[in-house]
Amino acid sequence: MKTENKSWMVWAIVILAVMNIATIITVIYNRNQTRNEKIVAENNQLQSENTSIRYSGRWFRDQLNFNSDQMSRFVEFNPVFRGNVRNINIELNTLRQKMLSEMASEKCDTTRLNTLSDSIGLLHANLKRVTYKYYIDIKNICDKQQQEKLVQLFGGMFAGDSRMGQYGKGGQQGR
């Protein structure tokens, strides 16, 4: 009878030890996951702030030499555009994080990845629509010289799209 009790107690201790180890590993893993998410969020915020300053009202005023009438018209639509872009970018970042988490999971669900990809695509298309409407709003308050400069300014914004994915394993692609 005593050996049965000892055997049972040994198994109980082993099970408790395994549960404790699993709990500790889970806590450490989740702590690291949270840190990584914070780092990504901070990097996205810094990038967003840099872009925000670059395309602020003051920046456009300085680059295009807006007069006071143009500036007052610009101030009417600029905050709406910036709010829309900010919301879209927040949603895009959230979806990208969900996609990364799904890809990193033990058994990733390709159906969910397809859905996330489609959602990202729709948001990106919406971002482009909001951007071209903004461009047209700015263009409508500019004179001919300012419009030429505006093309250059927005060309720099859209150049980032064309650079994405142009370099692969074999160097520059299709150029």
Side-chain angles (χ1 to χ4, degrees):
M1 183 83 165
K2 288 185 179 185
T3 57
E4 280 182 25
N5 282 341
K6 285 183 181 179
S7 171
W8 182 84
M9 288 177 71
V10 167
W11 279 110
I13 292 171
V14 168
I15 290 170
L16 289 173
V18 168
M19 286 175 55
N20 283 337
I21 291 170
T23 302
I24 291 169
I25 289 172
T26 301
V27 168
I28 291 171
Y29 174 79
N30 286 332
R31 184 180 295 160
N32 287 337
Q33 202 64 8
T34 303
R35 281 186 192 146
N36 291 340
E37 289 171 3
K38 283 181 182 177
I39 290 170
V40 168
E42 287 171 1
N43 287 340
N44 287 337
Q45 184 178 0
L46 284 174
Q47 183 179 4
S48 177
E49 286 174 4
N50 288 339
T51 302
S52 182
I53 291 168
R54 182 174 177 192
Y55 298 110
S56 68
R58 176 177 289 146
W59 186 81
F60 274 107
R61 183 193 66 205
D62 293 345
Q63 295 297 312
L64 297 172
N65 296 318
F66 281 157
N67 61 35
S68 60
D69 181 48
Q70 289 172 316
M71 200 61 203
S72 65
R73 291 173 57 197
F74 178 80
V75 170
E76 291 173 12
F77 57 82
N78 186 49
V80 175
F81 166 76
R82 291 170 65 88
N84 289 337
V85 167
R86 183 177 184 278
N87 292 336
I88 292 170
N89 282 330
I90 288 170
E91 288 182 62
L92 280 169
N93 287 336
T94 300
L95 289 174
R96 287 181 186 123
Q97 287 301 310
K98 287 179 181 178
M99 192 170 187
L100 180 61
S101 294
E102 185 62 39
M103 290 187 303
S105 70
E106 185 87 14
K107 295 180 182 179
C108 64
D109 180 359
T110 55
T111 303
R112 186 163 194 272
L113 288 171
N114 284 332
T115 301
L116 290 168
S117 296
D118 291 345
S119 297
I120 289 170
L122 290 172
L123 282 171
H124 196 254
N126 192 26
L127 180 62
K128 293 303 176 188
R129 275 191 288 282
V130 168
T131 303
Y132 85 70
K133 289 175 183 173
Y134 181 61
Y135 176 91
I136 291 170
D137 285 340
I138 296 173
K139 181 181 172 186
N140 286 335
I141 65 171
C142 290
D143 62 28
K144 287 291 184 194
Q145 285 181 331
Q146 290 170 326
Q147 287 178 7
E148 290 172 9
K149 176 75 174 178
L150 183 64
V151 171
Q152 294 171 358
L153 297 176
F154 269 76
M157 289 163 62
F158 283 91
D161 290 346
S162 67
R163 285 192 307 259
M164 288 184 69
Q166 81 179 0
Y167 299 107
K169 189 174 181 181
Q172 255 185 322
Q173 301 290 323
R175 298 216 179 207

